[in-house]
Amino acid sequence: MQVALVGIGKIALDQHVPAIAASPDWELAATVSRHGAVPGIPAFTDFAAFLDACPGVSVVSLCLPPVPRFAYAEAALQAGRHVMLEKPPGATLAEVQELAALAAGMGLTLYTTWHSRMARAVEPARAWLAGRRVHRAHVTWREDVRKWHPGQDWVFEPGGMGVFDPGINALSILTHILPRPVHMTAATLEFPENRQTPIAARLAFTGQVSADFDWRQEGPQTWDISVETDRGPLALRLGGNVLEIDGRVVAGERSIMGEYPALYARMADLVRARASEVDLAPMVHVADALTLGRRLVTAPFHF
Ligand code: NAP
């Protein structure tokens, strides 16, 4: 199947291009980006021009930041293309629900991808937790925004979600592996005094579940989830790629490189089945944090 990549920036080049190149299902047929391109691939700078020129490219994968994404997704669906959305799937919940209704009405696939859910140890963790009693769980997601979003001011603009841009990855795992749903009861959000979105967040949920997100961590990065159950402790490390039970590694691999190939394999299955997968549960928690959160003002942040 032919796919076009839209928004040739950091994640398109780091992950989407190699995942498509290695896939037996996909051929990268075009790119659409105002500045970026992929060597050897037909490049468009205007999305409408691409839709007109390439009617045979039936799938569009949107790698733009969340705020501009809706207009592209809507135009793609209206032009009869299946759509794959980077995480977070949109700037608001309502806009994604609108896209889901549009896709359903047109018989097209819409896939709200959550790459961290495809981390190698997530399914084994979910299976191990099924049927167990969770006493408490804690997420520690601490990374360096300068490393993962170099110079990307959009993350600190309204709709950029700040530290929830990576934090939503943890929430996508949490909402998938916990045997029972939880909801937020309190949140503390730290906003740099010169920015519109939080750089750190501490979250409390029902069921003794908590999370600590921070974008100011230099040196080693931490993407861990620990869960205490009636039959011992579980820990997910490296963003869900390594599973420890009782302190021993039992599944996974110390690499994040399996996630995007798995997303593209899933998209191929969805398109073949003419099915959609739209899950907003991780984004509901982010919206709740921004609704409930106590706001603290912290030091200004500059890239
Ligand atoms: P990025 O490099 O800043 O943006 C991707 C591209 O989108 C840009 O190069 C730009 O291409 C285009 N773009 C930016 N603003 C636009 C606008 N207002 N209108 C139209 N096009 C615009 O961002 P990224 O890091 O790749 O992140 C994109 C998405 O992937 C985000 O949702 C992010 O959460 C997700 N993601 C990022 C990472 C990561 O490590 N950075 C990891 C996983 C997922 P042109 O200027 O060429 O049009």
Side-chain angles (χ1 to χ4, degrees), residues 201-250:
R202 285 181 300 284
L203 312 174
F205 299 82
T206 51
Q208 302 287 328
V209 176
S210 54
D212 171 11
F213 300 160
D214 203 311
W215 238 351
R216 297 166 296 196
Q217 178 154 315
E218 295 172 4
Q221 310 282 283
T222 308
W223 301 290
D224 289 350
I225 299 177
S226 57
V227 185
E228 288 176 33
T229 78
D230 54 346
R231 283 188 268 164
L234 168 152
L236 277 172
R237 311 226 181 264
L238 201 69
N241 282 289
V242 173
L243 175 62
E244 292 175 8
I245 303 289
D246 285 327
R248 278 191 320 114
V249 174
V250 297

Side-chain angles (χ1 to χ4, degrees), residues 32-82:
V32 186
S33 209
R34 298 161 308 176
H35 309 95
V38 175
I41 305 297
F44 294 80
T45 53
D46 179 72
F47 193 53
F50 153 73
L51 290 172
D52 283 347
C54 301
V57 180
S58 60
V59 178
V60 169
S61 179
L62 299 180
C63 310
L64 312 153
V67 168
R69 207 178 298 135
F70 174 82
Y72 287 79
E74 184 184 42
L77 290 169
Q78 283 169 343
R81 315 303 166 89
H82 306 287

Side-chain angles (χ1 to χ4, degrees), residues 121-132 176-179 234 243 245:
V122 169
E123 285 306 329
R126 177 182 161 97
W128 192 85
L129 286 170
R132 285 185 160 81
H176 192 63
I177 64 171
L178 287 182
L234 168 152
L243 175 62
I245 303 289

Side-chain angles (χ1 to χ4, degrees), residues 9-11 33-36 63 69 87 148 152 154 165:
K10 183 164 183 354
I11 199 61
S33 209
R34 298 161 308 176
H35 309 95
C63 310
R69 207 178 298 135
K87 50 61 58 172
W148 302 102
Q152 294 179 7
W154 64 262
D165 179 89

Side-chain angles (χ1 to χ4, degrees), residues 4 21-22 59 112 138 151 154 160 185 204 213 280 289:
V59 178
T112 59
H138 184 70
W154 64 262
T185 54
F213 300 160
L280 292 175

Side-chain angles (χ1 to χ4, degrees), residues 44-302:
F44 294 80
T45 53
D46 179 72
F47 193 53
F50 153 73
L51 290 172
D52 283 347
C54 301
V57 180
S58 60
V59 178
V60 169
S61 179
L62 299 180
C63 310
L64 312 153
V67 168
R69 207 178 298 135
F70 174 82
Y72 287 79
E74 184 184 42
L77 290 169
Q78 283 169 343
R81 315 303 166 89
H82 306 287
V83 172
M84 190 167 164
L85 301 170
E86 249 299 350
K87 50 61 58 172
T92 69
L93 293 163
E95 69 180 44
V96 185
Q97 287 165 340
E98 218 175 296
L99 293 175
L102 181 59
M106 300 204 47
L108 295 166
T109 294
L110 181 69
Y111 181 22
T112 59
T113 67
W114 298 107
H115 67 83
S116 289
R117 271 195 193 163
M118 296 302 195
R120 288 191 167 89
V122 169
E123 285 306 329
R126 177 182 161 97
W128 192 85
L129 286 170
R132 285 185 160 81
R133 277 182 59 124
V134 171
H135 295 317
R136 60 180 57 78
H138 184 70
V139 177
T140 308
W141 225 251
R142 291 172 157 259
E143 63 174 57
D144 183 352
V145 62
R146 291 187 175 92
K147 177 173 167 63
W148 302 102
H149 292 279
Q152 294 179 7
D153 282 311
W154 64 262
V155 296
F156 287 113
E157 290 298 316
M161 297 190 194
V163 75
F164 290 106
D165 179 89
I168 205 168
N169 298 331
L171 297 173
S172 74
I173 296 175
L174 200 67
T175 49
H176 192 63
I177 64 171
L178 287 182
R180 284 195 198 84
V182 295
H183 65 264
M184 201 170 295
T185 54
T188 303
L189 312 174
E190 289 185 56
F191 287 75
E193 67 178 32
N194 61 336
R195 299 288 184 169
Q196 297 290 320
T197 61
I199 197 163
R202 285 181 300 284
L203 312 174
F205 299 82
T206 51
Q208 302 287 328
V209 176
S210 54
D212 171 11
F213 300 160
D214 203 311
W215 238 351
R216 297 166 296 196
Q217 178 154 315
E218 295 172 4
Q221 310 282 283
T222 308
W223 301 290
D224 289 350
I225 299 177
S226 57
V227 185
E228 288 176 33
T229 78
D230 54 346
R231 283 188 268 164
L234 168 152
L236 277 172
R237 311 226 181 264
L238 201 69
N241 282 289
V242 173
L243 175 62
E244 292 175 8
I245 303 289
D246 285 327
R248 278 191 320 114
V249 174
V250 297
E253 202 179 312
R254 293 200 64 77
S255 163
I256 62 169
M257 295 310 285
E259 298 172 17
Y260 281 79
L263 290 181
Y264 276 94
R266 177 75 183 134
M267 182 65 179
D269 288 345
L270 288 170
V271 172
R272 287 190 196 104
R274 287 275 165 162
S276 283
E277 189 173 299
V278 176
D279 181 2
L280 292 175
M283 204 166 146
V284 167
H285 289 314
V286 174
D288 284 356
L290 294 169
T291 304
L292 266 184
R294 180 176 296 279
R295 181 186 169 116
L296 304 178
V297 176
T298 187
F301 178 84
H302 301 281

